[in-house]
C-alpha cells in the first residue's frame, strides 16, 4: 500500500508546529511542572505561586536552567505530534472511506483521537518520564536523557503510563472541539464567499482562539489526572543523596493510589486542582500556537511533499532509461 501523502503532510506540519511552540514556551513549562510537583517535598509548600519558581532561577543565577531538558522535550513533542497527527489523519480518512460518510461525527472523532493518542503515549512514554524528571530536578543539577533513564529500571521509564493512557481523552476532546468549531466556521464563510473565489481558510487569529478554547475545555476536565502524573514522574528531591534506603522509600510512594491519598490528606479536594491556572496558561498557549502554526504551514508542507515525490519519480524514470 502506498504512502498516504495527505496524512504525511498533516503529521509533518503538526510536528513542526509542536516543535516551535514547545521551544517558545519551555521556560513557562518548566516553572509549571516544578510548581505542580511541589507537594512532594515532605508536605512543605516551597512555591506559593508560579512566579516563585521563576524568581528562584533568577536569584540563583540559573536562568538557563529553565531550559533544562529542552532537547528531550522537543524530541518527545516532535515524535508525539508526528505519530498523533499521522494516526489521527489516517484513521479519519480510513473511516470516511469505509463508512461512506462525507463528515465524521463527534463520537467517531473521539474514538479515533483516543486510539491515536493511546498509540502515541506508549511510544513516547520513556521520553515523557525523562523530561519530567529533568524539569523537576534542582536548578543546575539536571542530567542528560540517557543518564536519567539509566538510573532506573525499564518499568521506571514507563512511570505514569496508565495515567498517560487515561489522558488520551485530553487531545481527543481538544481536537474534536477544534474540528467541530472549525467546520462550522468554514461552512459559514463558504456560504458568504463568492463562487470561484480562493478556498476558504481560517485566519491565524481565529485558529489561535479556537485552539485556546478547545484546550481550555480539555484541560479543565482532565486536570486531576494531569497533576497526579506530574507527581509520579517528578524527580526525587533528594536526588544527590546516595542513601539507597531513601531512594527505595521515595519510590514506594510513586503510585497512583499513593499520590491520590497524599493530595487528599495534605491539600484536600482543592489540591487536585492546584496549579490549574498555570496548566491552562501553558497548555492553552502551546496548543493554540501549535494549531495556528500547523494551519499556516500545512499548505506549504503539502506542496513540498508533492514536489519531492515528483522529483523522486523523475529520478527513478531517468535511472530506468539509463
Amino acid at each position: 500500500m502506498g504512502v498516504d501523502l495527505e496524512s504525511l503532510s498533516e503529521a509533518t506540519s503538526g510536528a513542526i508546529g509542536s516543535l516551535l511552540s514547545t521551544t517558545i514556551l519551555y521556560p513557562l513549562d518548566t516553572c509549571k511542572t516544578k510548581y505542580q510537583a511541589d507537594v512532594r517535598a515532605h508536605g512543605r509548600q516551597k512555591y506559593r505561586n508560579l512566579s516563585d519558581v521563576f524568581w528562584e532561577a533568577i536569584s540563583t543565577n540559573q536562568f538557563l536552567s529553565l531550559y533544562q531538558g529542552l532537547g528531550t522535550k522537543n524530541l518527545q513533542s516532535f515524535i508525539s505530534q508526528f505519530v498523533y497527527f499521522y494516526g489521527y489523519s489516517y484513521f479519519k480518512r480510513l473511516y470516511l472511506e469505509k463508512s461512506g460518510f462525507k463528515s465524521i461525527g463527534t463520537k467517531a472523532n473521539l474514538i479515533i483521537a483516543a486510539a491515536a493518542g493511546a498509540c502515541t503515549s506508549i511510544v513516547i512514554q520513556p521520553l515523557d518520564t525523562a523530561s519530567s524528571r529533568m524539569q523537576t530536578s534542582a536548578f543546575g543539577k539536571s542530567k542528560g536523557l540517557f543518564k536519567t533513564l539509566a538510573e532506573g529500571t525499564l518499568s521506571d521509564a514507563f512511570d505514569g503510563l496508565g495515567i498517560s493512557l487515561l489522558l488520551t481523552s485530553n487531545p481527543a476532546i481538544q481536537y474534536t472541539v477544534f474540528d467541530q468549531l472549525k467546520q462550522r466556521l468554514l461552512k459559514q464563510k463558504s456560504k458568504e464567499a463568492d463562487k470561484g473565489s480562493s478556498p476558504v481558510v481560517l485566519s491565524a487569529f481565529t485558529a489561535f482562539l479556537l485552539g485556546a478554547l478547545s484546550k481550555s475545555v480539555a484541560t479543565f476536565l482532565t486536570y486531576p489526572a494531569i497533576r497526579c502524573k506530574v507527581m509520579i514522574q517528578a524527580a526525587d528531591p533528594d536526588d544527590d543523596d546516595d542513601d539507597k534506603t531513601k531512594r527505595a522509600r521515595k519510590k514506594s510512594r510513586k503510585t497512583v493510589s499513593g499520590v491520590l491519598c497524599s493530595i487528599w490528606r495534605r491539600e484536600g479536594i482543592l489540591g487536585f486542582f492546584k496549579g490549574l491556572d498555570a496548566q491552562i496558561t501553558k497548555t492553552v498557549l502551546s496548543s493554540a500556537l501549535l494549531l495556528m502554526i500547523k494551519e499556516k504551514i500545512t499548505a506549504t508542507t503539502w506542496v513540498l511533499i508533492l514536489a519531492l515525490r515528483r522529483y523522486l519519480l523523475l529520478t527513478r524514470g531517468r535511472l530506468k532509461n539509463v
Side-chain angles (χ1 to χ4, degrees):
M1 183 169 61
V3 178
D4 187 342
L5 294 181
E6 185 174 344
S7 295
L8 182 61
S9 174
E10 286 284 317
T12 302
S13 58
I16 293 174
S18 175
L19 190 67
L20 293 175
S21 64
T22 296
T23 301
I24 293 171
L25 299 173
Y26 195 74
L28 175 61
D29 187 39
T30 298
C31 292
K32 181 269 302 180
T33 303
K34 290 180 73 68
Y35 178 60
Q36 288 174 320
D38 181 39
V39 74
R40 299 187 71 249
H42 309 292
R44 294 191 297 271
Q45 188 173 352
K46 183 178 180 181
Y47 306 116
R48 293 184 178 181
N49 50 61
L50 189 66
S51 61
D52 287 348
V53 185
F54 178 77
W55 290 117
E56 180 190 13
I58 298 298
S59 62
T60 56
N61 296 320
Q62 294 289 343
F63 177 76
L64 292 180
S65 292
L66 291 173
Y67 290 90
Q68 60 190 24
L70 175 60
T72 300
K73 179 68 80 171
N74 272 336
L75 179 61
Q76 173 197 343
S77 296
F78 187 87
I79 295 175
S80 173
Q81 292 301 321
F82 185 90
V83 173
Y84 183 85
F85 274 110
Y86 186 88
Y88 179 80
S89 178
Y90 179 78
F91 288 133
K92 183 178 179 180
R93 284 170 53 82
L94 186 64
Y95 172 82
L96 293 175
E97 290 176 1
K98 297 295 184 181
S99 65
F101 298 141
K102 294 183 179 180
S103 61
I104 186 169
T106 302
K107 291 183 180 180
N109 211 343
L110 280 171
I111 294 174
I112 291 172
C119 294
T120 302
S121 295
I122 296 173
V123 172
I124 55 92
Q125 188 62 34
L127 292 175
D128 186 30
T129 300
S131 64
S132 292
R133 290 176 182 170
M134 293 165 77
Q135 284 183 306
T136 53
S137 296
F139 285 129
K141 296 183 180 181
S142 177
K143 301 169 185 176
L145 170 60
F146 294 108
K147 191 171 183 180
T148 300
L149 290 176
E151 288 182 340
T153 63
L154 180 61
S155 61
D156 291 334
F158 287 88
D159 278 347
L161 177 59
I163 296 182
S164 293
L165 292 175
L166 176 64
L167 287 174
T168 56
S169 59
N170 189 294
I173 296 171
Q174 177 197 350
Y175 293 117
T176 298
V177 173
F178 182 84
D179 274 352
Q180 296 301 316
L181 293 176
K182 175 184 173 182
Q183 288 177 17
R184 292 187 180 184
L185 284 177
L186 291 180
K187 285 182 180 179
Q188 183 177 354
K189 287 187 175 183
S190 296
K191 293 179 180 179
E192 298 174 356
D194 296 330
K195 293 184 178 180
S197 60
S198 58
V200 177
V201 296
L202 291 179
S203 66
F205 182 70
T206 301
F208 183 91
L209 290 180
L210 292 187
L213 177 60
S214 61
K215 192 60 180 180
S216 293
V217 174
T219 300
F220 177 78
L221 294 176
T222 61
Y223 185 74
I226 291 174
R227 187 169 185 225
C228 286
K229 177 170 170 285
V230 171
M231 292 175 63
I232 288 174
Q233 294 179 327
D236 190 334
D238 299 319
D239 210 23
D240 292 332
D241 198 334
D242 292 329
D243 190 337
K244 294 183 179 179
T245 302
K246 279 188 177 182
R247 289 182 179 274
R249 186 167 64 248
K250 184 63 65 176
K251 287 286 185 181
S252 66
R253 288 199 288 262
K254 287 189 175 182
T255 62
V256 175
S257 59
V259 168
L260 290 174
C261 289
S262 177
I263 294 175
W264 177 264
R265 185 173 61 254
R266 298 177 184 178
E267 300 175 350
I269 191 169
L270 293 180
F272 292 104
F273 292 92
K274 176 188 174 183
L276 176 60
D277 54 344
Q279 182 74 28
I280 288 181
T281 300
K282 183 267 171 180
T283 55
V284 165
L285 288 176
S286 178
S287 297
L289 282 172
L290 185 158
L291 292 170
M292 181 180 68
I293 294 171
K294 176 181 174 292
E295 284 291 323
K296 289 302 169 185
I297 67 175
T298 296
T300 302
T301 304
W302 175 248
V303 172
L304 290 176
I305 289 177
L306 289 180
L308 178 60
R309 178 174 178 269
R310 183 179 180 184
Y311 172 77
L312 294 175
L313 290 176
L314 289 175
T315 303
R316 183 185 302 175
R318 290 173 183 172
L319 291 175
K320 286 183 179 181
N321 292 332
V322 173

